[in-house]
Short mmCIF file of all heavy atoms in Angstrom, two decimals:
data_model
loop_
_atom_site.label_atom_id
_atom_site.label_comp_id
_atom_site.label_asym_id
_atom_site.label_seq_id
_atom_site.Cartn_x
_atom_site.Cartn_y
_atom_site.Cartn_z
N CYS A 439 -0.78 6.64 -10.70
CA CYS A 439 -1.28 7.89 -9.95
C CYS A 439 -0.17 8.26 -8.95
O CYS A 439 0.49 7.58 -8.39
CB CYS A 439 -2.57 7.70 -9.20
SG CYS A 439 -3.83 7.09 -10.10
N GLY A 440 -0.16 9.71 -8.59
CA GLY A 440 0.68 10.05 -7.61
C GLY A 440 2.12 9.81 -7.59
O GLY A 440 2.76 10.10 -8.82
N THR A 441 2.63 9.32 -6.60
CA THR A 441 4.14 9.03 -6.46
C THR A 441 4.42 8.01 -7.54
O THR A 441 5.49 8.01 -8.26
CB THR A 441 4.45 8.62 -5.10
OG1 THR A 441 4.59 9.87 -4.31
CG2 THR A 441 5.84 8.05 -5.02
N SER A 442 3.60 6.98 -7.71
CA SER A 442 3.82 5.93 -8.65
C SER A 442 3.85 6.53 -10.05
O SER A 442 4.70 5.99 -10.84
CB SER A 442 2.63 4.87 -8.56
OG SER A 442 2.70 4.22 -7.35
N LEU A 485 1.43 0.85 -12.38
CA LEU A 485 2.28 0.79 -11.23
C LEU A 485 1.47 1.21 -10.00
O LEU A 485 0.71 2.14 -10.16
CB LEU A 485 3.31 1.94 -11.39
CG LEU A 485 4.57 1.64 -12.27
CD1 LEU A 485 5.08 3.05 -12.75
CD2 LEU A 485 5.56 1.00 -11.41
N SER A 486 1.65 0.51 -8.90
CA SER A 486 0.81 0.81 -7.69
C SER A 486 1.47 0.29 -6.48
O SER A 486 1.77 -0.92 -6.50
CB SER A 486 -0.55 0.36 -7.97
OG SER A 486 -1.33 0.57 -6.74
N GLN A 487 1.70 1.04 -5.51
CA GLN A 487 2.16 0.58 -4.25
C GLN A 487 1.11 -0.29 -3.59
O GLN A 487 1.41 -1.47 -3.26
CB GLN A 487 2.41 1.73 -3.27
CG GLN A 487 3.01 1.42 -1.93
CD GLN A 487 2.31 0.67 -0.95
OE1 GLN A 487 2.51 -0.31 -0.50
NE2 GLN A 487 1.11 1.31 -0.66
N SER A 488 -0.18 0.20 -3.53
CA SER A 488 -1.24 -0.43 -2.83
C SER A 488 -1.80 -1.58 -3.68
O SER A 488 -2.23 -2.60 -3.04
CB SER A 488 -2.33 0.48 -2.42
OG SER A 488 -2.75 1.01 -3.67
N GLY A 489 -1.62 -1.54 -5.01
CA GLY A 489 -2.36 -2.51 -5.80
C GLY A 489 -3.84 -2.36 -5.78
O GLY A 489 -4.60 -3.27 -6.20
N THR A 491 -5.47 1.08 -6.03
CA THR A 491 -5.94 2.43 -6.42
C THR A 491 -6.96 2.28 -7.56
O THR A 491 -6.76 1.65 -8.60
CB THR A 491 -4.71 3.29 -6.94
OG1 THR A 491 -3.83 3.31 -5.87
CG2 THR A 491 -5.16 4.55 -7.49
N VAL A 537 1.61 7.45 5.13
CA VAL A 537 0.77 7.89 4.00
C VAL A 537 1.56 8.29 2.84
O VAL A 537 1.33 8.02 1.57
CB VAL A 537 -0.38 8.73 4.31
CG1 VAL A 537 -1.03 9.38 3.11
CG2 VAL A 537 -1.49 7.98 5.17
N ALA A 538 2.72 9.00 2.97
CA ALA A 538 3.47 9.56 2.00
C ALA A 538 4.42 8.43 1.61
O ALA A 538 5.05 7.91 2.31
CB ALA A 538 4.29 10.67 2.41
N SER A 539 4.34 8.08 0.16
CA SER A 539 5.10 7.05 -0.27
C SER A 539 6.55 7.32 -0.28
O SER A 539 6.97 8.41 -0.91
CB SER A 539 4.63 6.62 -1.60
OG SER A 539 5.23 5.50 -2.16
N LEU A 623 5.78 17.09 -4.23
CA LEU A 623 4.63 16.37 -3.83
C LEU A 623 4.88 15.90 -2.28
O LEU A 623 3.97 16.08 -1.39
CB LEU A 623 4.26 15.12 -4.52
CG LEU A 623 3.04 14.25 -4.02
CD1 LEU A 623 1.77 15.02 -4.02
CD2 LEU A 623 3.13 13.03 -5.02
N LYS A 624 6.05 15.42 -1.91
CA LYS A 624 6.24 14.93 -0.60
C LYS A 624 6.09 16.18 0.49
O LYS A 624 5.57 16.18 1.47
CB LYS A 624 7.72 14.47 -0.41
CG LYS A 624 7.93 13.13 -0.83
CD LYS A 624 7.39 12.05 -0.18
CE LYS A 624 6.09 11.63 -0.75
NZ LYS A 624 5.99 10.75 -1.82
N GLU A 627 2.35 17.46 0.60
CA GLU A 627 1.29 16.35 1.35
C GLU A 627 1.48 16.26 2.90
O GLU A 627 0.50 16.03 3.54
CB GLU A 627 1.21 15.09 0.62
CG GLU A 627 2.39 14.26 0.74
CD GLU A 627 2.42 12.99 0.03
OE1 GLU A 627 1.21 12.41 -0.12
OE2 GLU A 627 3.41 12.39 -0.41
N VAL A 744 -6.29 4.71 -2.30
CA VAL A 744 -7.31 5.52 -2.81
C VAL A 744 -8.17 4.58 -3.59
O VAL A 744 -8.11 4.64 -4.86
CB VAL A 744 -6.80 6.70 -3.60
CG1 VAL A 744 -7.86 7.68 -3.99
CG2 VAL A 744 -5.77 7.46 -2.79
C1 LIG B 87 2.09 10.26 -2.32
C2 LIG B 87 1.33 8.88 -2.45
C3 LIG B 87 0.26 8.94 -3.37
C4 LIG B 87 0.21 7.63 -4.05
C5 LIG B 87 -1.02 7.41 -5.05
C6 LIG B 87 -0.97 6.21 -5.81
O1 LIG B 87 3.02 10.15 -1.44
O2 LIG B 87 1.39 8.11 -1.68
O3 LIG B 87 0.36 9.95 -4.40
O4 LIG B 87 1.39 7.39 -4.76
O5 LIG B 87 -2.17 7.62 -4.31
O6 LIG B 87 -1.05 5.12 -4.86
P1 LIG B 87 -0.63 3.62 -5.28
O7 LIG B 87 0.88 3.60 -5.67
O8 LIG B 87 -0.95 2.78 -4.23
O9 LIG B 87 -1.42 3.29 -6.56
#
Side-chain angles (χ1 to χ4, degrees):
C439 303
T441 289
S442 297
L485 282 159
S486 175
Q487 186 288 126
S488 61
T491 300
V537 163
S539 186
L623 176 62
K624 285 291 89 91
E627 69 182 331
V744 187

